[in-house]
CSV table of all heavy atoms in Angstrom, one decimal:
chain,number,residue,atom,x,y,z
A,31,ALA,N,-22.0,42.8,-82.7
A,31,ALA,CA,-21.0,43.6,-81.9
A,31,ALA,C,-19.9,44.1,-82.8
A,31,ALA,O,-19.3,43.3,-83.6
A,31,ALA,CB,-20.4,42.8,-80.7
A,33,TYR,N,-16.4,47.0,-83.2
A,33,TYR,CA,-15.4,47.6,-82.3
A,33,TYR,C,-14.5,48.5,-83.2
A,33,TYR,O,-14.2,48.2,-84.3
A,33,TYR,CB,-14.5,46.6,-81.7
A,33,TYR,CG,-15.3,45.4,-81.0
A,33,TYR,CD1,-15.8,44.4,-81.8
A,33,TYR,CD2,-15.4,45.3,-79.7
A,33,TYR,CE1,-16.4,43.3,-81.2
A,33,TYR,CE2,-16.1,44.3,-79.1
A,33,TYR,CZ,-16.6,43.2,-79.9
A,33,TYR,OH,-17.2,42.2,-79.3
A,35,TYR,N,-10.6,50.0,-82.7
A,35,TYR,CA,-9.4,49.9,-81.9
A,35,TYR,C,-8.4,50.9,-82.6
A,35,TYR,O,-8.4,51.1,-83.8
A,35,TYR,CB,-8.7,48.6,-82.0
A,35,TYR,CG,-9.3,47.5,-81.1
A,35,TYR,CD1,-10.5,46.8,-81.5
A,35,TYR,CD2,-8.8,47.2,-79.8
A,35,TYR,CE1,-11.0,45.9,-80.7
A,35,TYR,CE2,-9.3,46.3,-79.0
A,35,TYR,CZ,-10.5,45.6,-79.4
A,35,TYR,OH,-11.0,44.6,-78.6
A,37,GLN,N,-4.2,51.6,-82.9
A,37,GLN,CA,-2.9,51.0,-82.6
A,37,GLN,C,-1.8,51.9,-83.1
A,37,GLN,O,-1.6,52.2,-84.3
A,37,GLN,CB,-2.8,49.6,-83.4
A,37,GLN,CG,-1.5,48.9,-83.0
A,37,GLN,CD,-1.4,47.5,-83.7
A,37,GLN,OE1,-2.0,47.3,-84.8
A,37,GLN,NE2,-0.6,46.6,-83.2
A,41,LYS,N,3.0,49.2,-80.6
A,41,LYS,CA,2.2,49.1,-79.4
A,41,LYS,C,1.0,48.1,-79.7
A,41,LYS,O,0.7,47.8,-80.9
A,41,LYS,CB,1.5,50.4,-79.1
A,41,LYS,CG,2.6,51.5,-78.7
A,41,LYS,CD,3.2,51.1,-77.3
A,41,LYS,CE,4.1,52.3,-76.9
A,41,LYS,NZ,4.8,51.9,-75.6
A,42,PRO,N,0.4,47.5,-78.7
A,42,PRO,CA,-0.8,46.7,-79.0
A,42,PRO,C,-2.0,47.5,-79.3
A,42,PRO,O,-2.1,48.7,-79.0
A,42,PRO,CB,-1.0,45.9,-77.7
A,42,PRO,CG,-0.4,46.9,-76.6
A,42,PRO,CD,0.7,47.6,-77.3
A,43,PRO,N,-3.0,46.9,-79.9
A,43,PRO,CA,-4.3,47.7,-80.1
A,43,PRO,C,-4.9,48.1,-78.8
A,43,PRO,O,-4.9,47.3,-77.8
A,43,PRO,CB,-5.1,46.7,-80.9
A,43,PRO,CG,-4.2,45.7,-81.5
A,43,PRO,CD,-3.1,45.6,-80.5
A,45,LEU,N,-8.6,49.5,-77.2
A,45,LEU,CA,-10.1,49.6,-77.5
A,45,LEU,C,-10.5,51.1,-77.4
A,45,LEU,O,-10.1,51.8,-76.4
A,45,LEU,CB,-10.9,48.7,-76.5
A,45,LEU,CG,-12.4,48.7,-76.7
A,45,LEU,CD1,-12.7,48.0,-78.1
A,45,LEU,CD2,-13.0,48.0,-75.6
A,48,VAL,N,-17.2,50.3,-78.4
A,48,VAL,CA,-17.9,49.0,-78.7
A,48,VAL,C,-19.3,49.4,-79.0
A,48,VAL,O,-20.0,50.1,-78.3
A,48,VAL,CB,-17.8,48.1,-77.5
A,48,VAL,CG1,-18.6,46.8,-77.9
A,48,VAL,CG2,-16.4,47.7,-77.2
A,50,SER,N,-23.0,47.4,-79.6
A,50,SER,CA,-23.7,46.2,-79.5
A,50,SER,C,-25.2,46.5,-80.0
A,50,SER,O,-25.8,47.3,-79.4
A,50,SER,CB,-23.7,45.7,-78.1
A,50,SER,OG,-24.4,44.5,-78.0
A,55,SER,N,-22.0,50.9,-76.6
A,55,SER,CA,-21.9,50.2,-75.3
A,55,SER,C,-20.7,50.6,-74.5
A,55,SER,O,-20.8,50.7,-73.2
A,55,SER,CB,-21.9,48.7,-75.5
A,55,SER,OG,-23.1,48.2,-76.1
A,56,ILE,N,-19.6,50.9,-75.1
A,56,ILE,CA,-18.4,51.3,-74.4
A,56,ILE,C,-17.8,52.4,-75.2
A,56,ILE,O,-17.6,52.4,-76.4
A,56,ILE,CB,-17.4,50.1,-74.3
A,56,ILE,CG1,-17.9,49.0,-73.4
A,56,ILE,CG2,-16.0,50.6,-73.9
A,56,ILE,CD1,-16.9,47.9,-73.2
A,58,GLU,N,-14.2,54.3,-74.4
A,58,GLU,CA,-13.1,54.2,-73.5
A,58,GLU,C,-12.4,55.6,-73.3
A,58,GLU,O,-11.2,55.8,-73.6
A,58,GLU,CB,-12.0,53.2,-74.0
A,58,GLU,CG,-12.5,51.8,-73.9
A,58,GLU,CD,-12.5,51.3,-72.5
A,58,GLU,OE1,-11.6,51.7,-71.7
A,58,GLU,OE2,-13.3,50.4,-72.2
A,88,LEU,N,-2.7,53.3,-86.7
A,88,LEU,CA,-3.5,52.3,-87.5
A,88,LEU,C,-4.8,52.1,-86.7
A,88,LEU,O,-4.9,51.8,-85.6
A,88,LEU,CB,-2.8,50.9,-87.6
A,88,LEU,CG,-3.4,49.8,-88.4
A,88,LEU,CD1,-3.5,50.1,-89.8
A,88,LEU,CD2,-2.7,48.5,-88.1
A,90,LEU,N,-8.2,50.0,-86.4
A,90,LEU,CA,-8.7,48.7,-86.7
A,90,LEU,C,-10.1,48.6,-86.3
A,90,LEU,O,-10.5,49.0,-85.2
A,90,LEU,CB,-7.9,47.6,-85.9
A,90,LEU,CG,-6.4,47.5,-86.3
A,90,LEU,CD1,-5.6,46.7,-85.2
A,90,LEU,CD2,-6.3,46.7,-87.6
A,94,SER,N,-17.8,40.8,-83.8
A,94,SER,CA,-17.9,39.5,-83.2
A,94,SER,C,-19.3,39.1,-83.1
A,94,SER,O,-20.2,39.9,-82.9
A,94,SER,CB,-17.2,39.4,-81.8
A,94,SER,OG,-17.9,40.3,-80.9
A,95,PRO,N,-19.6,37.7,-83.1
A,95,PRO,CA,-21.0,37.3,-82.9
A,95,PRO,C,-21.4,37.6,-81.4
A,95,PRO,O,-20.6,37.6,-80.5
A,95,PRO,CB,-20.9,35.8,-83.1
A,95,PRO,CG,-19.6,35.5,-83.6
A,95,PRO,CD,-18.7,36.6,-83.2
A,96,LYS,N,-22.7,37.8,-81.3
A,96,LYS,CA,-23.1,38.1,-79.9
A,96,LYS,C,-23.4,36.8,-79.2
A,96,LYS,O,-24.0,35.9,-79.7
A,96,LYS,CB,-24.4,38.9,-79.9
A,96,LYS,CG,-24.9,39.3,-78.6
A,96,LYS,CD,-26.1,40.3,-78.7
A,96,LYS,CE,-26.7,40.6,-77.3
A,96,LYS,NZ,-25.7,41.4,-76.5
A,97,SER,N,-22.8,36.7,-78.0
A,97,SER,CA,-23.0,35.5,-77.2
A,97,SER,C,-23.2,35.9,-75.8
A,97,SER,O,-22.3,36.5,-75.2
A,97,SER,CB,-21.8,34.5,-77.4
A,97,SER,OG,-22.0,33.5,-76.5
A,98,LEU,N,-24.3,35.5,-75.2
A,98,LEU,CA,-24.5,35.8,-73.8
A,98,LEU,C,-23.9,34.8,-72.8
A,98,LEU,O,-23.8,35.1,-71.6
A,98,LEU,CB,-26.0,36.0,-73.5
A,98,LEU,CG,-26.7,37.2,-74.2
A,98,LEU,CD1,-28.2,37.1,-74.0
A,98,LEU,CD2,-26.1,38.5,-73.7
A,99,THR,N,-23.6,33.6,-73.3
A,99,THR,CA,-23.2,32.6,-72.4
A,99,THR,C,-21.8,32.0,-72.7
A,99,THR,O,-21.2,31.4,-71.8
A,99,THR,CB,-24.2,31.4,-72.6
A,99,THR,OG1,-24.2,30.9,-73.9
A,99,THR,CG2,-25.6,31.8,-72.2
A,100,GLY,N,-21.2,32.3,-73.8
A,100,GLY,CA,-19.9,31.7,-74.1
A,100,GLY,C,-19.0,32.7,-74.7
A,100,GLY,O,-19.3,33.8,-74.9
A,101,GLY,N,-17.8,32.2,-75.0
A,101,GLY,CA,-16.8,33.0,-75.6
A,101,GLY,C,-17.1,33.2,-77.1
A,101,GLY,O,-17.6,32.3,-77.8
A,102,THR,N,-16.7,34.3,-77.6
A,102,THR,CA,-16.7,34.5,-79.1
A,102,THR,C,-15.4,35.1,-79.5
A,102,THR,O,-14.6,35.7,-78.6
A,102,THR,CB,-17.8,35.5,-79.5
A,102,THR,OG1,-17.6,36.7,-78.9
A,102,THR,CG2,-19.2,34.9,-79.0
A,103,GLU,N,-15.1,35.1,-80.7
A,103,GLU,CA,-13.8,35.7,-81.2
A,103,GLU,C,-14.1,36.9,-82.0
A,103,GLU,O,-15.1,37.0,-82.6
A,103,GLU,CB,-13.0,34.7,-82.0
A,103,GLU,CG,-13.7,34.3,-83.3
A,103,GLU,CD,-13.3,32.9,-83.8
A,103,GLU,OE1,-13.5,32.0,-83.1
A,103,GLU,OE2,-12.7,32.9,-84.9
A,104,ALA,N,-13.2,37.8,-82.0
A,104,ALA,CA,-13.3,39.0,-82.8
A,104,ALA,C,-12.6,38.8,-84.1
A,104,ALA,O,-11.5,38.3,-84.1
A,104,ALA,CB,-12.7,40.2,-82.0
A,106,PHE,N,-10.9,40.8,-87.2
A,106,PHE,CA,-10.4,42.1,-87.4
A,106,PHE,C,-10.3,42.4,-88.9
A,106,PHE,O,-10.0,41.5,-89.7
A,106,PHE,CB,-9.0,42.3,-86.8
A,106,PHE,CG,-9.0,42.5,-85.3
A,106,PHE,CD1,-9.2,41.4,-84.5
A,106,PHE,CD2,-8.9,43.7,-84.8
A,106,PHE,CE1,-9.2,41.6,-83.1
A,106,PHE,CE2,-8.9,43.9,-83.4
A,106,PHE,CZ,-9.1,42.9,-82.6
A,107,GLY,N,-10.5,43.7,-89.3
A,107,GLY,CA,-10.2,44.2,-90.6
A,107,GLY,C,-8.7,44.5,-90.7
A,107,GLY,O,-7.9,44.3,-89.8
A,108,GLN,N,-8.3,44.9,-91.9
A,108,GLN,CA,-6.9,45.1,-92.2
A,108,GLN,C,-6.4,46.5,-91.7
A,108,GLN,O,-5.2,46.8,-91.7
A,108,GLN,CB,-6.6,45.0,-93.7
A,108,GLN,CG,-6.8,43.6,-94.3
A,108,GLN,CD,-5.8,42.6,-93.6
A,108,GLN,OE1,-4.6,42.7,-93.8
A,108,GLN,NE2,-6.4,41.7,-92.9
A,111,ARG,N,-4.5,53.1,-92.2
A,111,ARG,CA,-3.3,53.8,-91.7
A,111,ARG,C,-3.6,55.3,-91.8
A,111,ARG,O,-3.7,55.8,-92.9
A,111,ARG,CB,-2.1,53.4,-92.5
A,111,ARG,CG,-0.9,54.1,-92.2
A,111,ARG,CD,-0.3,53.8,-90.9
A,111,ARG,NE,0.1,52.4,-90.8
A,111,ARG,CZ,0.5,51.8,-89.7
A,111,ARG,NH1,0.5,52.4,-88.5
A,111,ARG,NH2,0.8,50.5,-89.7
B,32,TYR,N,-11.3,34.0,-71.5
B,32,TYR,CA,-11.3,33.6,-72.9
B,32,TYR,C,-9.9,34.1,-73.4
B,32,TYR,O,-9.6,35.3,-73.2
B,32,TYR,CB,-12.4,34.3,-73.7
B,32,TYR,CG,-13.8,33.9,-73.2
B,32,TYR,CD1,-14.7,34.9,-72.9
B,32,TYR,CD2,-14.1,32.6,-72.9
B,32,TYR,CE1,-16.0,34.6,-72.4
B,32,TYR,CE2,-15.4,32.3,-72.4
B,32,TYR,CZ,-16.3,33.3,-72.2
B,32,TYR,OH,-17.5,32.9,-71.7
B,34,PHE,N,-6.7,34.3,-76.4
B,34,PHE,CA,-6.5,34.3,-77.8
B,34,PHE,C,-5.0,34.5,-78.1
B,34,PHE,O,-4.3,35.2,-77.3
B,34,PHE,CB,-7.3,35.4,-78.5
B,34,PHE,CG,-8.7,35.4,-78.1
B,34,PHE,CD1,-9.2,36.1,-77.0
B,34,PHE,CD2,-9.7,34.8,-78.9
B,34,PHE,CE1,-10.5,36.2,-76.7
B,34,PHE,CE2,-11.0,34.8,-78.6
B,34,PHE,CZ,-11.4,35.5,-77.5
B,36,TYR,N,-3.2,36.2,-81.5
B,36,TYR,CA,-3.3,36.8,-82.8
B,36,TYR,C,-1.9,37.1,-83.4
B,36,TYR,O,-1.0,37.3,-82.7
B,36,TYR,CB,-4.0,38.2,-82.7
B,36,TYR,CG,-5.5,38.1,-82.5
B,36,TYR,CD1,-6.0,38.1,-81.2
B,36,TYR,CD2,-6.4,38.1,-83.6
B,36,TYR,CE1,-7.4,38.1,-81.0
B,36,TYR,CE2,-7.8,38.1,-83.4
B,36,TYR,CZ,-8.3,38.1,-82.1
B,36,TYR,OH,-9.6,38.0,-81.9
B,38,GLN,N,0.2,39.5,-86.4
B,38,GLN,CA,0.1,40.7,-87.2
B,38,GLN,C,1.3,40.9,-88.0
B,38,GLN,O,2.4,41.0,-87.5
B,38,GLN,CB,-0.2,41.9,-86.3
B,38,GLN,CG,-0.4,43.2,-87.1
B,38,GLN,CD,-0.8,44.4,-86.2
B,38,GLN,OE1,-0.2,44.5,-85.2
B,38,GLN,NE2,-1.7,45.2,-86.7
B,40,PRO,N,3.5,43.3,-90.7
B,40,PRO,CA,3.7,44.8,-90.7
B,40,PRO,C,2.6,45.5,-91.5
B,40,PRO,O,2.4,45.1,-92.7
B,40,PRO,CB,5.1,45.0,-91.3
B,40,PRO,CG,5.8,43.7,-91.0
B,40,PRO,CD,4.8,42.6,-91.0
B,41,GLY,N,2.0,46.5,-90.9
B,41,GLY,CA,1.0,47.3,-91.6
B,41,GLY,C,-0.3,46.6,-91.8
B,41,GLY,O,-1.2,47.1,-92.5
B,42,GLN,N,-0.5,45.4,-91.3
B,42,GLN,CA,-1.7,44.6,-91.6
B,42,GLN,C,-2.6,44.5,-90.3
B,42,GLN,O,-2.2,45.0,-89.2
B,42,GLN,CB,-1.3,43.2,-92.0
B,42,GLN,CG,-0.5,43.1,-93.2
B,42,GLN,CD,-1.2,43.6,-94.5
B,42,GLN,OE1,-2.3,43.2,-94.7
B,42,GLN,NE2,-0.6,44.5,-95.2
B,43,GLY,N,-3.8,43.9,-90.5
B,43,GLY,CA,-4.7,43.7,-89.4
B,43,GLY,C,-4.2,42.5,-88.6
B,43,GLY,O,-3.1,42.0,-88.8
B,44,LEU,N,-5.1,42.1,-87.7
B,44,LEU,CA,-4.8,40.9,-86.8
B,44,LEU,C,-5.5,39.7,-87.4
B,44,LEU,O,-6.7,39.7,-87.7
B,44,LEU,CB,-5.3,41.2,-85.4
B,44,LEU,CG,-4.6,42.4,-84.7
B,44,LEU,CD1,-5.5,42.9,-83.5
B,44,LEU,CD2,-3.2,42.0,-84.3
B,45,GLN,N,-4.8,38.6,-87.3
B,45,GLN,CA,-5.3,37.3,-87.7
B,45,GLN,C,-5.3,36.4,-86.5
B,45,GLN,O,-4.3,36.2,-85.8
B,45,GLN,CB,-4.5,36.7,-88.9
B,45,GLN,CG,-5.1,35.3,-89.3
B,45,GLN,CD,-4.2,34.7,-90.4
B,45,GLN,OE1,-3.0,35.0,-90.6
B,45,GLN,NE2,-4.8,33.8,-91.2
B,46,LEU,N,-6.5,35.8,-86.3
B,46,LEU,CA,-6.6,34.9,-85.1
B,46,LEU,C,-5.9,33.6,-85.4
B,46,LEU,O,-6.1,32.9,-86.4
B,46,LEU,CB,-8.0,34.6,-84.8
B,46,LEU,CG,-8.3,33.7,-83.6
B,46,LEU,CD1,-8.0,34.4,-82.3
B,46,LEU,CD2,-9.8,33.2,-83.6
B,49,LYS,N,-7.7,30.0,-80.1
B,49,LYS,CA,-8.5,30.5,-79.0
B,49,LYS,C,-8.7,29.4,-78.0
B,49,LYS,O,-8.8,28.2,-78.4
B,49,LYS,CB,-9.8,31.1,-79.5
B,49,LYS,CG,-10.7,30.0,-80.2
B,49,LYS,CD,-11.8,30.6,-81.0
B,49,LYS,CE,-12.6,29.5,-81.6
B,49,LYS,NZ,-13.5,29.9,-82.7
B,51,PHE,N,-11.6,28.7,-75.0
B,51,PHE,CA,-12.8,29.2,-74.3
B,51,PHE,C,-13.0,28.2,-73.1
B,51,PHE,O,-13.3,28.7,-72.0
B,51,PHE,CB,-14.0,29.1,-75.2
B,51,PHE,CG,-14.0,30.2,-76.3
B,51,PHE,CD1,-14.7,30.1,-77.4
B,51,PHE,CD2,-13.2,31.3,-76.1
B,51,PHE,CE1,-14.7,31.0,-78.4
B,51,PHE,CE2,-13.2,32.3,-77.1
B,51,PHE,CZ,-13.9,32.1,-78.3
B,90,PHE,N,0.5,38.6,-80.7
B,90,PHE,CA,-0.2,39.2,-79.5
B,90,PHE,C,-1.1,38.2,-78.8
B,90,PHE,O,-1.9,37.5,-79.4
B,90,PHE,CB,-1.2,40.3,-80.0
B,90,PHE,CG,-0.5,41.6,-80.5
B,90,PHE,CD1,-0.3,41.8,-81.9
B,90,PHE,CD2,0.0,42.5,-79.6
B,90,PHE,CE1,0.3,42.9,-82.4
B,90,PHE,CE2,0.7,43.7,-80.1
B,90,PHE,CZ,0.8,43.8,-81.5
B,94,ALA,N,-10.1,38.1,-72.8
B,94,ALA,CA,-11.4,38.8,-73.0
B,94,ALA,C,-12.3,38.2,-72.0
B,94,ALA,O,-12.3,37.1,-71.6
B,94,ALA,CB,-11.9,38.7,-74.4
B,96,ASN,N,-16.7,38.2,-71.4
B,96,ASN,CA,-17.9,38.3,-72.1
B,96,ASN,C,-18.8,39.3,-71.3
B,96,ASN,O,-19.3,39.0,-70.2
B,96,ASN,CB,-18.6,37.0,-72.2
B,96,ASN,CG,-19.7,37.0,-73.2
B,96,ASN,OD1,-20.3,38.1,-73.4
B,96,ASN,ND2,-20.1,35.9,-73.8
B,97,SER,N,-18.9,40.5,-71.8
B,97,SER,CA,-19.7,41.6,-71.1
B,97,SER,C,-21.0,41.8,-71.8
B,97,SER,O,-21.1,42.7,-72.6
B,97,SER,CB,-18.9,42.9,-71.0
B,97,SER,OG,-17.6,42.6,-70.5
B,98,GLY,N,-22.0,41.0,-71.4
B,98,GLY,CA,-23.3,41.2,-72.1
B,98,GLY,C,-23.3,40.9,-73.5
B,98,GLY,O,-24.1,41.5,-74.3
B,99,GLY,N,-22.5,40.0,-74.0
B,99,GLY,CA,-22.5,39.5,-75.3
B,99,GLY,C,-21.4,40.1,-76.2
B,99,GLY,O,-21.3,39.6,-77.3
B,100,TYR,N,-20.7,41.1,-75.8
B,100,TYR,CA,-19.6,41.5,-76.6
B,100,TYR,C,-18.3,41.3,-75.9
B,100,TYR,O,-18.3,41.0,-74.7
B,100,TYR,CB,-19.7,43.0,-77.0
B,100,TYR,CG,-20.0,43.9,-75.8
B,100,TYR,CD1,-18.9,44.4,-75.1
B,100,TYR,CD2,-21.3,44.3,-75.5
B,100,TYR,CE1,-19.2,45.2,-74.0
B,100,TYR,CE2,-21.5,45.2,-74.5
B,100,TYR,CZ,-20.4,45.6,-73.7
B,100,TYR,OH,-20.7,46.4,-72.6
B,101,GLN,N,-17.2,41.4,-76.6
B,101,GLN,CA,-15.9,41.1,-76.1
B,101,GLN,C,-15.1,42.3,-75.8
B,101,GLN,O,-15.0,43.2,-76.6
B,101,GLN,CB,-15.1,40.3,-77.1
B,101,GLN,CG,-15.6,38.9,-77.4
B,101,GLN,CD,-15.3,37.9,-76.4
B,101,GLN,OE1,-14.2,37.8,-76.0
B,101,GLN,NE2,-16.3,37.1,-75.9
B,102,LYS,N,-14.7,42.5,-74.5
B,102,LYS,CA,-13.7,43.6,-74.2
B,102,LYS,C,-12.4,42.9,-74.2
B,102,LYS,O,-12.0,42.2,-73.2
B,102,LYS,CB,-14.1,44.2,-72.9
B,102,LYS,CG,-13.2,45.5,-72.7
B,102,LYS,CD,-13.7,46.2,-71.5
B,102,LYS,CE,-12.8,47.5,-71.3
B,102,LYS,NZ,-13.1,48.3,-70.1
B,103,VAL,N,-11.6,43.1,-75.3
B,103,VAL,CA,-10.3,42.3,-75.4
B,103,VAL,C,-9.2,43.2,-74.9
B,103,VAL,O,-9.1,44.4,-75.3
B,103,VAL,CB,-10.1,41.9,-76.9
B,103,VAL,CG1,-8.8,41.2,-77.0
B,103,VAL,CG2,-11.3,41.1,-77.4
B,104,THR,N,-8.3,42.7,-74.1
B,104,THR,CA,-7.1,43.3,-73.7
B,104,THR,C,-5.9,42.6,-74.3
B,104,THR,O,-5.8,41.3,-74.1
B,104,THR,CB,-7.0,43.4,-72.2
B,104,THR,OG1,-8.1,44.1,-71.6
B,104,THR,CG2,-5.7,44.0,-71.7
B,105,PHE,N,-5.1,43.3,-75.0
B,105,PHE,CA,-3.9,42.7,-75.6
B,105,PHE,C,-2.6,42.8,-74.8
B,105,PHE,O,-2.5,43.8,-74.1
B,105,PHE,CB,-3.7,43.3,-77.0
B,105,PHE,CG,-4.7,43.0,-78.0
B,105,PHE,CD1,-5.8,43.8,-78.1
B,105,PHE,CD2,-4.5,42.0,-78.9
B,105,PHE,CE1,-6.8,43.5,-79.1
B,105,PHE,CE2,-5.5,41.7,-79.8
B,105,PHE,CZ,-6.6,42.5,-79.9
B,106,GLY,N,-1.8,41.9,-74.9
B,106,GLY,CA,-0.4,42.0,-74.4
B,106,GLY,C,0.4,43.0,-75.3
B,106,GLY,O,-0.1,43.4,-76.3
B,107,ILE,N,1.6,43.3,-74.9
B,107,ILE,CA,2.4,44.2,-75.6
B,107,ILE,C,2.9,43.7,-76.9
B,107,ILE,O,3.4,44.4,-77.8
B,107,ILE,CB,3.6,44.7,-74.7
B,107,ILE,CG1,4.2,46.0,-75.3
B,107,ILE,CG2,4.6,43.7,-74.5
B,107,ILE,CD1,5.1,46.7,-74.3
B,108,GLY,N,2.9,42.4,-77.1
B,108,GLY,CA,3.3,41.8,-78.3
B,108,GLY,C,4.7,41.2,-78.2
B,108,GLY,O,5.6,41.8,-77.5
B,110,LYS,N,7.8,40.3,-81.0
B,110,LYS,CA,8.2,40.3,-82.4
B,110,LYS,C,9.1,39.1,-82.6
B,110,LYS,O,10.1,38.9,-82.0
B,110,LYS,CB,8.9,41.6,-82.7
B,110,LYS,CG,9.3,41.8,-84.2
B,110,LYS,CD,9.8,43.2,-84.5
B,110,LYS,CE,10.0,43.3,-86.0
B,110,LYS,NZ,10.5,44.7,-86.3
Side-chain angles (χ1 to χ4, degrees):
Chain A
Y33 313 77
Y35 284 82
Q37 186 178 22
K41 297 289 186 184
L45 184 65
V48 178
S50 179
S55 298
I56 292 181
E58 291 286 329
L88 181 68
L90 293 163
S94 65
K96 184 171 174 66
S97 171
L98 292 174
T99 58
T102 64
E103 66 205 59
F106 282 82
Q108 294 298 296
R111 174 71 62 189
Chain B
Y32 302 131
F34 309 87
Y36 284 90
Q38 185 177 38
Q42 298 297 308
L44 296 164
Q45 182 182 23
L46 181 70
K49 63 194 178 196
F51 292 158
F90 292 98
N96 194 335
S97 304
Y100 51 81
Q101 295 280 312
K102 187 173 181 182
V103 181
T104 299
F105 290 88
I107 197 168
K110 186 171 184 178

